[in-house]
């Protein structure tokens, strides 16, 4: 499925495309693919018992080619987004999505990885939409969802999901250079992070966890490491890759506690490609987990890679980046 769209103020404010906005765009086009050809929408999907279901992500993997940074997608730009789903036993879905300029995303999803396009891989399961602590996985009525190519075997990401939940980290061997002395707090607020009103059972949208991780990454750089990253340098980060697993949720008025480690390494000055107005100054890597302050439960775990991409006119920031890498990377 290919959809045309326009980046509007609703998506990006007055800025360029962000990671959070990209995840919501991908979630929307995947949602449309979920019920394509049925005449209904995802919130109308039920199982044979009449339970309302939602297709919740347990895994996402976002990849941004360094030659196609998110800053290249700007307000009012005409774009195309593609999505495809495959099904394992009508319960687990493997999702793929891609974004490009209008007409740039081919109909054949097998061609997407070879193109310089932002891409998403994801894993979803159908959950009963209620407020029970122990979420129940089930299968939807087949007539309420689209037709998906079948998967011959269970996605490997489910095995990794179980392993990360067991060990508590997406990468226990990560070679960090700096870390938060104590978990970074993110208050979960009704209206901002969690829907307001009755019947809003599954609380945080998966993309909101990405905002939490991004908050922790910025906080770690600007407050949790010495020497601190200048704020303008920390804000020069742009995503290259993020792999995330989602385990549980939390309600409004809870506090997310984010344990985070990081490192920074040098890179080629032209890693971003032939864009003469930018300099690639270094690559940041993070590993982090989110826990609920109320319950202590592991909510999500991530591994992210970001590029310090600085305009050539900002020579002071380039020197700042060189100094931080020399100090922290040794």
């Amino acid at each position: 499925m290919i959809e045309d769209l326009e980046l509007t103020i609703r998506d990006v404010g007055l800025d360029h495309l962000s990671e959070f906005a990209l995840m919501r765009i991908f979630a929307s086009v995947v949602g449309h693919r979920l019920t394509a050809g049925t005449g209904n929408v995802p919130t109308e999907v039920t199982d044979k018992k009449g339970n309302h279901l939602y297709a919740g992500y347990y895994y996402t993997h976002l990849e941004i080619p360094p030659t196609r940074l998110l800053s290249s997608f700007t307000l009012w730009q005409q774009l195309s987004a593609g999505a495809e789903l495959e099904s394992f036993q009508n319960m687990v879905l493997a999702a793929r999505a891609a974004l490009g300029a209008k007409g740039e995303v081919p109909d054949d999803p097998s061609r997407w990885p070879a193109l310089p396009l932002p891409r998403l891989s994801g894993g979803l399961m159908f959950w009963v939409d209620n407020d029970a602590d122990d979420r129940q996985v089930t299968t939807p009525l087949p007539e309420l969802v689209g037709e998906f190519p079948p998967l011959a075997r269970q996605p490997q990401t489910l095995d990794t999901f179980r392993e990360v939940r067991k060990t508590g980290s997406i990468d226990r061997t990560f070679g960090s250079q700096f870390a938060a002395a104590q978990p970074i707090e993110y208050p979960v607020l009704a209206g901002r992070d969690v829907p307001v009103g009755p019947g809003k059972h599954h609380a945080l949208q998966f993309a909101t966890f990405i905002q939490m991780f991004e908050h922790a990454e910025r906080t770690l750089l600007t407050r949790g490491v010495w020497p601190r990253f200048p704020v303008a340098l920390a804000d020069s980060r742009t995503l290259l890759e993020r792999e995330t697993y989602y385990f549980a949720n939390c309600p409004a008025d809870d506090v997310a506690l984010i344990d985070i480690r990081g490192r920074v390494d040098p890179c080629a000055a032209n890693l971003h490609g032939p864009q003469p107005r930018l300099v690639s100054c270094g690559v940041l890597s993070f590993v982090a987990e989110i826990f609920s302050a109320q319950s202590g439960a592991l909510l999500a775990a991530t591994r992210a890679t970001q590029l310090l991409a600085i305009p050539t006119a900002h020579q002071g920031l380039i020197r700042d980046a060189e100094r931080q890498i020399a100090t922290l990377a040794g």
Side-chain angles (χ1 to χ4, degrees):
M1 169 182 283
I2 306 294
E3 293 185 357
D4 293 331
L5 64 139
E6 179 183 47
L7 276 188
T8 69
I9 293 173
R10 173 196 61 204
D11 303 306
V12 299
L14 299 177
D15 205 350
H16 58 71
L17 186 62
S18 67
E19 179 184 358
F20 176 71
L22 177 60
M23 292 291 274
R24 294 183 71 170
I25 288 171
F26 280 151
S28 294
V29 69
V30 169
H32 288 160
R33 177 64 184 92
L34 184 69
T35 56
T38 67
N40 64 299
V41 297
T43 51
E44 297 172 336
V45 175
T46 63
D47 63 11
K48 63 181 181 181
K49 296 181 180 179
N51 295 311
H52 281 275
L53 310 181
Y54 69 97
Y57 285 88
Y58 69 85
Y59 160 79
T60 58
H61 185 191
L62 191 60
E63 298 175 276
I64 313 294
T67 57
R68 199 67 176 276
L69 300 176
L70 293 182
S71 58
S72 66
F73 296 89
T74 55
L75 183 63
W76 308 123
Q77 188 175 357
Q78 302 295 315
L79 304 176
S80 291
E84 183 55 283
L85 290 168
E86 297 173 295
S87 174
F88 177 71
Q89 296 182 348
N90 299 319
M91 185 179 295
V92 180
L93 299 175
R96 288 180 287 176
L99 183 76
K102 186 173 182 178
E104 189 179 14
V105 181
D107 291 332
D108 182 0
S110 67
R111 296 175 55 193
W112 298 347
L115 299 174
L117 303 174
R119 300 183 302 276
L120 175 74
S121 302
L124 304 93
M125 289 184 279
F126 288 99
W127 306 91
V128 175
D129 190 4
N130 60 33
D131 56 1
D133 291 334
D134 188 15
R135 297 188 300 169
Q136 180 184 351
V137 179
T138 186
T139 57
L141 289 172
E143 63 267 24
L144 298 181
V145 295
E147 295 184 4
F148 314 123
L151 289 169
R153 57 182 59 88
Q154 175 182 284
Q156 177 63 39
T157 54
L158 271 177
D159 292 331
T160 307
F161 170 87
R162 297 185 184 103
E163 182 65 20
V164 174
R165 184 171 56 184
K166 176 182 176 180
T167 62
S169 175
I170 199 170
D171 187 352
R172 297 189 66 83
T173 63
F174 178 67
S176 61
Q177 298 164 342
F178 46 89
Q182 57 188 16
I184 294 169
E185 296 187 358
Y186 183 102
V188 179
L189 301 181
R192 184 191 70 181
D193 304 310
V194 178
V196 177
K200 307 297 185 182
H201 300 305
H202 40 276
L204 291 172
Q205 185 189 46
F206 78 102
T208 304
F209 286 109
I210 302 303
Q211 283 189 311
M212 292 180 175
F213 284 125
E214 212 288 326
H215 164 74
E217 290 154 8
R218 188 177 189 271
T219 301
L220 175 63
L221 294 178
T222 59
R223 302 184 200 172
V225 62
W226 186 261
R228 295 176 180 176
F229 280 63
V231 171
L233 179 59
D235 290 343
S236 297
R237 295 170 299 124
T238 183
L239 186 75
L240 297 179
E241 186 173 7
R242 185 184 299 277
E243 185 178 9
T244 307
Y245 288 87
Y246 310 87
F247 303 104
N249 222 306
C250 61
D253 302 321
D254 198 350
V255 176
L257 302 177
I258 308 161
D259 190 20
I260 182 167
R261 290 82 69 204
R263 62 176 298 115
V264 61
D265 295 290
C267 69
N270 63 347
L271 180 62
H272 60 281
Q275 301 179 48
R277 297 184 180 181
L278 283 179
V279 177
S280 295
C281 291
V283 173
L284 286 157
S285 303
F286 299 97
V287 169
E289 300 83 36
I290 300 177
F291 297 86
S292 163
Q294 288 185 7
S295 69
L298 173 64
L299 304 181
T302 199
R303 172 171 48 203
T305 304
Q306 299 167 357
L307 177 66
L308 287 170
I310 302 175
T312 54
H314 295 185
Q315 289 295 310
L317 277 185
I318 294 173
R319 301 289 86 82
D320 287 338
E322 292 171 346
R323 184 179 64 254
Q324 290 296 104
I325 292 172
T327 302
L328 295 170

